[in-house]
Amino acid sequence: MLYPHKPDSKIHSETLYIQIRNKTKPGGGGGMIEHVTQVRVPVLRPMDLMVEATPRRVFSNAHTYHINSISINSDYETYMSTDDLRINLWNLEITNRSFNIVDIKPANMEELTEVITAAEFHPNQCNTFVYSSSKGSIRLCDMRAAALCDNHSKFFEEPEDPSNRSFFSEIISSISDVKFSHSGRYLMTRDYLTVKVWDLNMESKPLETYQVHDYLRSKLCSLYENDCIFDKFECVWNGSDSVIMTGSYNNFFRMFDRNTKRDVTLEASRENSKPRAILKPRKVCVGGKRRKDEISVDSLDFSKKILHTAWHPSENIIAVAATNNLYIFQDKVN
């Protein structure tokens, strides 16, 4: 089970002033001269942890559109930044110059059919990276092939079932996040309704598909009207690549165990975030009689959403961002 995690308090120092009277006798006789000096003695007092971010370097003037993702390369010398139409490669020590490695901007913007939604470097192959598009496709590129990666090495896309096509098909198929597994063998993608796991050696279809909130399929019309259908949810692996996590509405977040195929829905809220309190699984009722522990799909609060998630690389500690609150949970500690 997951427990809310409380960070350690920070030690703040104050100053206590003590006056010391130092009497010395001047040479050649005469009276005593009095000197007053100050000695600062620190007093330690606990206080709440405060985090402040200050920029060390500013890399500017390389993007025309909003940056949607940043990824550090495994060589720890370069990183890439991505906007809707371009991916730029930077050197960590050079702030005023970058190299364009992907450019999908057409000569005529009216011919634009898709945009880049996310990108990430391979965890241990510094020449390989992947980027996703609003059409639900993923392209794997090799920087050794050419300076401008116009031609991809591999192309991942799941064929659409014509019987399920609707007005919202293209919108909900747009990929909002893409993540390599820690082993580098798999890819995970998140679209509006599902999380998919792809094997790098199989481009035709995903290896695994997990339904995040399939009960919203009947609500797509209202979600389109309030713009929620355009929300960009992130997804994340645990340290061993055996569990994946992603967010949903009503401050719910979902976990899927790839080995047992079990899943759980948990809620991040102030009411349930008391220290060492166990998070109880939540269930959403689609129709019919609702049980005591279930919440109706019509009662979900779509203004409360978990878009950003993170998992500790080696321990069962997770962070989820719900609106303007950050929640940190950890596994049960004996």
Side-chain angles (χ1 to χ4, degrees):
M1 301 299 293
L2 292 171
Y3 283 83
H5 178 71
K6 185 177 180 181
D8 295 333
S9 59
K10 182 180 179 181
I11 300 300
H12 174 69
S13 63
E14 294 182 353
T15 303
L16 179 66
Y17 293 94
I18 299 178
Q19 289 187 341
I20 298 178
R21 299 184 180 277
N22 207 2
K23 296 184 178 181
T24 59
K25 192 173 183 180
M32 303 291 287
I33 298 177
E34 185 176 78
H35 296 278
V36 179
T37 60
Q38 293 178 338
V39 177
R40 296 182 178 182
V41 180
V43 178
L44 302 181
R45 295 183 180 179
M47 63 176 293
D48 292 335
L49 178 66
M50 298 184 66
V51 179
E52 181 180 354
T54 55
R56 297 295 181 90
R57 295 188 181 97
V58 178
F59 301 81
S60 58
N61 302 324
H63 289 277
T64 307
Y65 306 95
H66 292 298
I67 297 172
N68 56 47
S69 56
I70 292 176
S71 179
I72 304 291
N73 201 347
S74 59
D75 60 11
Y76 295 107
E77 294 182 0
T78 57
Y79 76 94
M80 66 179 176
S81 56
T82 308
D83 65 25
D84 288 351
L85 300 178
R86 293 187 176 96
I87 300 178
N88 292 329
L89 181 68
W90 300 80
N91 188 294
L92 289 168
E93 302 298 326
I94 302 174
T95 62
N96 61 352
R97 186 172 68 254
S98 64
F99 297 94
N100 181 231
I101 55 176
V102 172
D103 189 347
I104 66 169
K105 184 178 181 179
N108 183 1
M109 285 295 286
E110 293 181 357
E111 299 175 357
L112 183 67
T113 59
E114 63 180 334
V115 295
I116 302 171
T117 56
E120 189 180 54
F121 270 117
H122 192 279
N124 47 52
Q125 297 177 11
C126 62
N127 56 284
T128 305
F129 70 94
V130 67
Y131 70 93
S132 58
S133 82
S134 57
K135 279 193 169 182
S137 59
I138 310 106
R139 292 172 173 85
L140 186 74
C141 300
D142 189 340
M143 292 191 295
R144 297 172 300 184
L148 188 63
C149 299
D150 288 336
N151 298 318
H152 49 266
S153 301
K154 292 187 177 183
F155 183 81
F156 302 86
E157 186 177 45
E158 185 176 22
E160 183 184 6
D161 186 354
S163 62
N164 293 331
R165 182 160 184 82
S166 69
F167 172 78
F168 306 106
S169 295
E170 188 170 333
I171 301 175
I172 63 175
S173 65
S174 175
I175 295 175
S176 58
D177 196 17
V178 58
K179 293 283 175 58
F180 276 104
S181 63
H182 294 87
S183 66
R185 171 69 185 275
Y186 304 103
L187 274 174
M188 175 170 55
T189 60
R190 170 69 203 265
D191 56 43
Y192 190 69
L193 295 178
T194 66
V195 171
K196 297 174 182 177
V197 176
W198 303 76
D199 191 322
L200 290 186
N201 298 322
M202 188 171 67
E203 304 172 51
S204 58
K205 61 180 181 179
L207 191 67
E208 304 160 15
T209 300
Y210 301 95
Q211 299 294 335
V212 179
H213 38 215
D214 196 52
Y215 46 79
L216 296 182
R217 199 174 289 274
S218 61
K219 301 286 184 181
L220 294 179
C221 187
S222 58
L223 291 168
Y224 177 80
E225 292 175 352
N226 62 18
D227 287 341
C228 284
I229 200 170
F230 301 105
D231 287 333
K232 308 298 182 184
F233 292 95
E234 294 180 357
C235 54
V236 67
W237 302 86
N238 72 334
S240 61
D241 298 332
S242 61
V243 181
I244 56 182
M245 177 177 65
T246 190
S248 182
Y249 293 104
N250 208 74
N251 280 2
F252 288 167
F253 59 98
R254 302 269 283 143
M255 289 184 174
F256 303 92
D257 191 312
R258 299 180 60 211
N259 297 324
T260 64
K261 304 304 178 183
R262 296 175 59 185
D263 63 271
V264 66
T265 301
L266 301 172
E267 181 181 6
S269 64
R270 288 191 172 185
E271 292 76 15
N272 300 327
S273 62
K274 296 179 181 179
R276 305 196 68 78
I278 298 177
L279 298 183
K280 297 181 179 179
R282 302 300 305 268
K283 290 185 178 181
V284 177
C285 175
V286 179
K289 190 175 181 180
R290 182 172 62 90
R291 295 182 180 179
K292 181 180 179 181
D293 296 334
E294 294 180 339
I295 181 172
S296 171
V297 65
D298 297 319
S299 303
L300 296 175
D301 188 345
F302 294 105
S303 64
K304 296 179 179 179
K305 60 194 77 172
I306 294 179
L307 301 179
H308 309 289
T309 56
W311 202 310
H312 192 281
S314 58
E315 299 180 25
N316 278 335
I317 299 177
I318 62 172
V320 295
T323 318
N324 59 343
N325 296 311
L326 176 66
Y327 296 90
I328 299 177
F329 303 101
Q330 66 178 1
D331 200 0
K332 182 178 180 181
V333 179
N334 295 324

